[in-house]
Amino acid sequence: MKLSEGFTKLLPSVLIFVFYAISFSLFTLALKGIDVSIAYAIWAGFGTALITIVGILWFREPATALKMISLIVVIAGVIGLHLSDRVT
């Protein structure tokens, strides 16, 4: 989204919609075999982690200790939700 500069650049703007379509399509397929709460947690957690990594590596955003700890908490939450599904 940042590379599209407010939808003023064609290729990044088109790629936004292409990647969102792929993401939602794969999410829909995942829902066939995974509970919606677990699937959404994984989808959101993975997306958050991926965007954070892209921001740090591509856009040179600072990798602060708080940011890294927060990412670990998000990942731990997703794992916890997945494990809680197995307990019941």
Side-chain angles (χ1 to χ4, degrees), residues 34-43 78 80-85:
I34 304 172
D35 290 340
V36 69
S37 61
I38 303 303
Y40 186 76
I42 292 169
W43 184 64
V78 170
L81 282 172
H82 183 64
L83 292 175
S84 72
D85 191 45

Side-chain angles (χ1 to χ4, degrees), residues 14 18 23 26 47-48 63 75 82:
V14 170
V18 169
S23 179
L26 293 174
T48 300
I75 293 167
H82 183 64

Side-chain angles (χ1 to χ4, degrees), residues 5-77:
E5 295 182 11
F7 296 111
T8 59
K9 293 195 174 189
L10 182 62
L11 182 60
S13 299
V14 170
L15 289 177
I16 288 171
F17 294 103
V18 169
F19 287 124
Y20 267 114
I22 291 168
S23 179
F24 281 115
S25 297
L26 293 174
F27 181 63
T28 301
L29 291 175
L31 288 175
K32 289 183 177 184
I34 304 172
D35 290 340
V36 69
S37 61
I38 303 303
Y40 186 76
I42 292 169
W43 184 64
F46 180 74
T48 300
L50 183 63
I51 292 301
T52 301
I53 292 167
V54 167
I56 291 168
L57 297 177
W58 188 275
F59 295 109
R60 308 279 189 232
E61 294 175 359
T64 64
L66 181 59
K67 191 179 284 188
M68 295 300 107
I69 291 168
S70 299
L71 258 182
I72 290 168
V73 170
V74 167
I75 293 167

